[in-house]
Amino acid sequence: MATKKPENLSFEQALDELSLIVTEMEQGELSLEQSLKQFERGIALAGASSSKLQQAEQKVAILLGSDSQSPLTNFDNDLE
C-alpha cells in the first residue's frame, strides 16, 4: 500500500497517523533508522495539519468578519 503525501490527507487522517507514529516511537521497539523515518513522517504530518488548521481558522475569521483589521492572506480552499 502506497503512503499518501501528508498534504493529500485530510486533517483527521493526518492526526490519526501522527498518533500512531507517536505510539510506535514511545514503545521503543523501532530501530534507529525506522525511528528517523517515522520522525521525518511525523514532522511532515504535523506541518500539513498545522497548515490546514490555519487555513480553516482564517476561513472562519473571514466568514465571521471578526478580524477585519488584519490584512488577509491567500489560502487554498482545497482542504481535502
Side-chain angles (χ1 to χ4, degrees), residues 24-25 28-39:
E24 285 179 353
M25 292 184 75
E29 296 178 11
L30 299 176
S31 69
L32 178 59
E33 185 176 331
Q34 291 171 321
S35 293
L36 288 173
K37 278 186 174 183
Q38 290 294 72
F39 181 76

Side-chain angles (χ1 to χ4, degrees), residues 11 16 33 47 51 58 74 79:
F11 179 78
D16 287 344
E33 185 176 331
S51 176
Q58 184 177 18
N74 293 332
L79 293 177

Side-chain angles (χ1 to χ4, degrees), residues 5-11 14 47-57 78-80:
K5 292 182 179 180
E7 59 271 12
N8 294 336
L9 295 172
S10 71
F11 179 78
S49 297
S50 177
S51 176
K52 288 178 184 187
L53 184 58
Q54 288 174 346
Q55 291 171 3
E57 288 173 344
D78 184 22
L79 293 177
E80 293 184 35

Side-chain angles (χ1 to χ4, degrees), residues 1-26:
M1 179 180 196
T3 303
K4 287 187 176 183
K5 292 182 179 180
E7 59 271 12
N8 294 336
L9 295 172
S10 71
F11 179 78
E12 292 79 9
Q13 289 171 325
L15 285 183
D16 287 344
E17 186 177 342
L18 188 56
S19 178
L20 289 173
I21 288 172
V22 169
T23 300
E24 285 179 353
M25 292 184 75
E26 285 179 341

